[in-house]
Amino acid sequence: MKVILAQPRGFCAGVVRAIDIVERALATCDAPVYVRHEIVHNRHVVDGLKARGARFVEELDEIPGDAVAIFSAHGVSRAVESEAADRKLRVIDATCPLVTKVHNQGQRYASLGRTVLFIGHAGHPEVEGTLGRITGTVHLVESREDVLGLPIPDDTPVAYITQTTLSVDDTRQTIEAIQKRFSDVIGPETRDICYATQNRQTAVRNLCRHIDVLLVVGSANSSNSNRLREIGEELGIPSYLVADGRQVDPAWLVGKETIGITAGASAPDVLVDDVVGALAKLGPVEIQALQGVEEKITFRLPRELLEAS
């Protein structure tokens, strides 16, 4: 069979930075190092860091006083920051800089006296963190219907911001609904939306023109990985989310000649290799990489880690 790899796929700069932060903290700080929530949404990555000594917790009260506490790439609320300061935890913030940018945009809009409409998925860690960082009136909207149901006058000055794991395509209809309903609307330029999310979705749309079935490598709780699978389905391609090669079902491939593979922004290349290896066990495989955007963006590490290393 022919296997075509999407480009770009896998780790984005924010995920690389977050993992690097934990690894450097393990190398330079007194053990143990605690991480609030999964550093990124990938079990393989989390288990690898656990094996090296990282301890993952859900809440700060599980961390002993004066210990090193790392905030995940998804960001945290001001309340979590304050609790960490009160307990004198040694905090290292691994929040993705693009998530921080959304926080700052939302607060700037609120400071202008606008009602902030946050386009995102309820319950996602990034959404919970962002909602807890904006001082002012904020409404979470997930769809056009949510916009129409907002209990505020149509002449209310509003501003919108978006969850970083949503692309321009994901948010277009909701933004159009906001602009159609409200007479005074501002929001970020489309180029401010996470480059990695948009690039991976564009790559999948291109990939689906050439394949018979799509395999998305990523964890079940990864928002951007699930969206990649949904895009494949929307384009009429049988699409499956797999954590690794063990989850590949040979029945999916019966009668299929060309298999497309991509990976969510929190899935490492080693898992893509594992899926390719699983396919190779079923028969000869010809691998081709699709041309696409080459990402060269990197994010600076926190100063305290740079100084320590």
Side-chain angles (χ1 to χ4, degrees), residues 19 22 35 37-56 219 221 266:
I19 295 170
V22 179
V35 184
H37 292 171
E38 293 185 346
I39 188 67
V40 295
H41 282 159
N42 188 275
R43 176 53 50 189
H44 174 86
V45 171
V46 170
D47 286 346
L49 293 172
K50 279 182 179 178
R52 297 177 60 175
R55 298 186 184 180
F56 290 84
S219 292
N221 62 339
S266 53

Side-chain angles (χ1 to χ4, degrees), residues 13 21-22 28 49 70 102 117 123 138 165 190 201 224 252 295 301:
I21 284 173
V22 179
T28 60
L49 293 172
I70 299 176
V102 173
L117 307 182
V138 187
T165 51
T190 55
Q201 292 191 9
N224 70 87
W252 300 339
E295 296 174 347
L301 292 172

Side-chain angles (χ1 to χ4, degrees), residues 19 48 70 83 129-130 163 178 221 230 253 270 288-289:
I19 295 170
I70 299 176
E83 182 185 351
T130 302
Q163 180 180 334
I178 292 170
N221 62 339
E230 290 170 359
L253 312 177
V270 65
Q288 173 186 341

Side-chain angles (χ1 to χ4, degrees), residues 3-19:
V3 173
I4 305 179
L5 304 178
Q7 174 62 31
R9 64 184 182 278
F11 279 176
C12 64
V15 167
V16 170
R17 176 180 180 270
I19 295 170

Side-chain angles (χ1 to χ4, degrees), residues 129-188:
T130 302
L131 291 174
R133 296 204 69 86
I134 301 173
T135 304
T137 304
V138 187
H139 294 278
L140 177 65
V141 292
E142 297 192 44
S143 64
R144 175 179 176 275
E145 289 68 30
D146 287 347
V147 173
L148 297 177
L150 287 169
I152 55 179
D154 294 352
D155 60 354
T156 303
V158 302
Y160 62 84
I161 56 175
T162 69
Q163 180 180 334
T164 63
T165 51
L166 300 179
S167 71
V168 175
D169 296 332
D170 295 331
T171 59
R172 181 175 289 113
Q173 288 189 343
T174 307
I175 292 173
E176 288 175 353
I178 292 170
Q179 293 172 332
K180 184 175 181 179
R181 174 177 170 184
F182 296 99
S183 57
D184 186 355
V185 180
I186 60 175

Side-chain angles (χ1 to χ4, degrees), residues 1-6 204 207-216 228-229 231-233 235-242 248-262 275 279 282:
M1 69 187 77
K2 177 184 286 188
V3 173
I4 305 179
L5 304 178
V204 162
L207 179 64
C208 285
R209 296 163 49 202
H210 308 279
I211 61 175
D212 302 314
V213 64
L214 173 68
L215 301 180
V216 179
L228 294 175
R229 185 199 61 77
I231 289 172
E233 291 285 357
L235 294 173
I237 302 297
S239 304
Y240 306 95
L241 180 67
V242 295
V248 174
D249 186 344
W252 300 339
L253 312 177
V254 174
K256 311 297 183 183
E257 295 183 358
T258 307
I259 315 303
I261 299 179
T262 188
V275 170
L279 297 178
L282 302 176

